[in-house]
Amino acid sequence: MAVKQFIEPDLERGRVVIMASLDAKGAFDAAWWPAILKGLRDAKCPQNLHRLTQDYFRERSAVITINSSKTEKKITKGNPQGLCCGPGFWNIQYNFLHNLRYTNHTKTVAFADDLVIIIKADSIRQAENISNVELSKISTWAKDNKIRFNEQKSKVMLLTRRKRKEQNEIEIYLNNKLLLQVHSLKYLGIIFDSKLSFREHINYMAEKCKKLIFALSKSAYLNWG
């Protein structure tokens, strides 16, 4: 809903929008402890909780034993899967990404490690230029915080309702690599299409329900009578 509310009014006014979905490599495994501790300090976390977190991160290591060989390495990042405070630690670090100095054309939306960057402008070329500037800021932030975005899994989409013919190909780069341009993009289970009509999502859900109905009727038939 946050994505839709930001995009729709501008599409109705004939503007264009670029939506980029970025995939964080390793996600929770990439949470860097010094950045989390800095985030807690900036959020004025009570000292006892800050010290508790600091102690939790201290002197941790990963050990692999194969036959008689043993390898040990000191670790400085990562939240174990299933850890109760893991999502909170990740959010503390990832929240800095929302506070970068973006232009007023830009909005970031994130849920856990699922992130989209939305850029709106009057023309496709203007949106393309702004997008590349904003993604360079994100690349720098990611490098400083030991997080890497996967260029192969990250995607971009141009949204427009203009009827006139124009060049719709865009070149958006992340870490100096060209991102794949798509005509539909799935975010948090919702399929966004290039006109924000949600027709593709409705068709997808209808097909999914149809398969479920057939499976249920087949199972019920076995027990009738």
Side-chain angles (χ1 to χ4, degrees), residues 66-124:
I66 301 173
N67 297 328
S68 58
S69 299
K70 181 180 177 182
T71 302
E72 185 172 344
K73 184 179 180 181
K74 186 179 179 182
I75 52 175
T76 58
K77 63 179 183 177
N79 288 321
Q81 295 294 325
L83 179 72
C84 292
C85 51
F89 286 154
W90 172 261
N91 287 346
I92 288 165
Q93 179 181 2
Y94 219 45
N95 195 55
F96 282 106
L97 195 149
H98 295 294
N99 299 325
L100 298 179
R101 291 187 177 181
Y102 300 112
T103 68
N104 56 4
H105 300 269
T106 305
K107 183 179 181 66
T108 58
V109 179
F111 182 87
D113 61 319
D114 290 312
L115 170 72
V116 290
I117 316 297
I118 312 160
I119 299 96
K120 52 189 183 181
D122 293 320
S123 69
I124 294 174

Side-chain angles (χ1 to χ4, degrees), residues 22-25 148-154 174-175 179:
L22 304 188
D23 180 79
K25 270 189 176 179
R148 182 166 181 84
F149 290 105
N150 190 336
E151 303 88 3
Q152 283 73 39
K153 291 185 178 180
S154 299
L174 179 66
N175 301 327
L179 296 182

Side-chain angles (χ1 to χ4, degrees), residues 7-17 159-162 194-196:
I7 293 174
E8 195 162 40
D10 288 86
L11 290 182
E12 289 175 353
R13 292 203 301 269
R15 302 186 82 198
V16 298
V17 175
L159 294 96
T160 177
R161 290 178 181 170
R162 292 176 176 179
S194 59
K195 293 188 183 296
L196 203 69

Side-chain angles (χ1 to χ4, degrees), residues 27-91:
F28 283 14
D29 292 336
W32 190 41
W33 299 343
I36 293 170
L37 292 170
K38 181 181 182 301
L40 287 171
R41 284 196 302 273
D42 292 347
K44 297 181 181 179
C45 173
Q47 282 191 4
N48 61 326
L49 294 179
H50 187 274
R51 284 196 296 266
L52 180 66
T53 308
Q54 199 172 29
D55 191 55
Y56 176 79
F57 291 149
R58 188 179 288 122
E59 295 179 10
R60 285 191 171 267
S61 59
V63 180
I64 297 176
T65 305
I66 301 173
N67 297 328
S68 58
S69 299
K70 181 180 177 182
T71 302
E72 185 172 344
K73 184 179 180 181
K74 186 179 179 182
I75 52 175
T76 58
K77 63 179 183 177
N79 288 321
Q81 295 294 325
L83 179 72
C84 292
C85 51
F89 286 154
W90 172 261
N91 287 346

